[in-house]
Structure formats: C-alpha cells, structure tokens
Amino acid sequence: ENSDYHEKMGTIIIHFTVALLWSYACAFAPRYLFHYDNNKMPFAIFMSQQDKIVEPYPVISQISSINWIGTCRYVDADLVHLRELKLTGGLRYDINGTSVRLSSFLTFPNGKTREVVMVGNSESKSSCLNLRKEGGGPIRMQLTELGTDTILVNEIEEATGKIILTSSLSIVGGSTNDTELIQISHEVGEGKLSINGHQVWRLKEGHADVRRQ
C-alpha cells in the first residue's frame, strides 16, 4: 500500500511540476514563441507557417525597382540568326502591395522607340499575374513564377484569347554585380508556321539614360 501511495504521489507531483513550468513559460516567454488557438490549449512553436512573411511575387521581387537594359538576337522561323537586325530594349518591374507595374521599351534599327506600361495583379481564381496596358489595349500578359528564378509569360489577344507570344525569363549569375536576365521569346504564327521567330534577350542592370544613347 505504501508503495502504491508513493507512486501516485510521485505522479501527481510530476504533473503539477509540468503544469507549473508551463504556466511560467507562458507568462515570461516572448509572445512570438507561442501560437494561440481560442478553442485549444496554446502550444509552443517557432514561427508557424501562418506567421511567416511571404513575398507575393518571390521572383519578380528579386529584380524589381531596377532598370534592366540589353540587346536582342533575333532568329527567324527557319532558325537563321538575322545578325543585321539590331534590337535594343529594357524593362523594369515595380511592386506595390499585390499590384505589379511593368515598364518596357524596344528600340528598332531605324532608331524609333516603342514604350509600353502594363499594370495588374493576381486574380483570386488564378495563380497567374495578369497585366494590361494602361489606358487599355488589345493585348494582355499572363505571368507565372517557376521556382525561385524563372518567370513564364504568355502574351494573349484579348478579343480572341489566342497566345501570340510565349516567353521565359530567368535570373542568372552568382552575385549582384554579375546578375543577368535571360529572356527567350517565341512568336506564335499561323498554319504550318507555328513559330514565326525567336527573340533571345540578355539584360543587365543599367540606368535610365542608357535608353537614349
């Protein structure tokens, strides 16, 4: 009987000690160590998944607020590199909350430049980011992020829903100074010519006045 009594008392003491230690932990530990549920006892965690701050656009955020300037090598439908076709251009992403603004320009061999600004955000029913030209336009861009370094893009005719150009943009380079964007675009054609041409862009961080040189 004595042994049973001592065993029960030992169990009670252990339970009481654990409860006491837990109460002290709740009272004095930093708040961020605990996640509280109104319907359950609190349990200790270190930054739950719900508490982590997640960037809405993890790939775009790496290259945002930077002017990316570069050149394009153009290849026709027969995979012939048109060396005489000199194209230069650039792009810049800016993020404001869940909204994204894409500013881009393209300079043709005759020196004329076309500038486009597109804005948008992720729609609730889709994981894609949809950008449309400021003031309206016939084309929208649909973007999705792949992994930590790649953006996939479709340019779509609003009226028909047809994809007219598809691209991939990848971040390459081991350090900030060496970072480069490689964008490869394929122009979608008609009939037997399913691809009209290919654009291979290499872009590096530049300054706004580079566009005017």
Side-chain angles (χ1 to χ4, degrees), residues 108-150:
F108 298 94
N110 60 8
K112 292 185 177 181
T113 297
R114 183 185 68 184
E115 298 184 30
V116 177
V117 176
M118 306 190 78
V119 295
N121 51 49
S122 292
E123 298 176 358
S124 58
K125 294 181 180 180
S126 172
S127 61
C128 295
L129 171 65
N130 287 280
L131 304 180
R132 291 176 171 84
K133 185 178 178 181
E134 284 189 330
I139 306 298
R140 68 180 168 92
M141 295 178 66
Q142 191 176 62
L143 293 76
T144 190
E145 298 181 318
L146 184 64
T148 59
D149 60 2
T150 301

Side-chain angles (χ1 to χ4, degrees), residues 18-32:
V18 170
L20 185 62
L21 290 174
W22 175 253
S23 65
Y24 274 107
C26 289
F28 297 106
R31 286 183 177 272
Y32 65 82

Side-chain angles (χ1 to χ4, degrees), residues 95-112:
I95 301 175
N96 183 12
T98 59
S99 297
V100 173
R101 177 186 177 96
L102 171 60
S103 306
S104 63
F105 75 93
L106 174 64
T107 301
F108 298 94
N110 60 8
K112 292 185 177 181

Side-chain angles (χ1 to χ4, degrees), residues 47-58 61 97-98 145:
M47 293 299 287
S48 70
Q49 291 295 323
Q50 294 88 346
D51 295 329
K52 290 181 180 179
I53 299 175
V54 179
E55 289 283 354
Y57 308 110
S61 64
T98 59
E145 298 181 318

Side-chain angles (χ1 to χ4, degrees), residues 18-19 21-46 48 51:
V18 170
L21 290 174
W22 175 253
S23 65
Y24 274 107
C26 289
F28 297 106
R31 286 183 177 272
Y32 65 82
L33 295 181
F34 298 91
H35 175 77
Y36 291 90
D37 187 324
N38 292 331
N39 300 316
K40 300 177 182 179
M41 288 186 64
F43 55 94
I45 60 171
F46 291 87
S48 70
D51 295 329

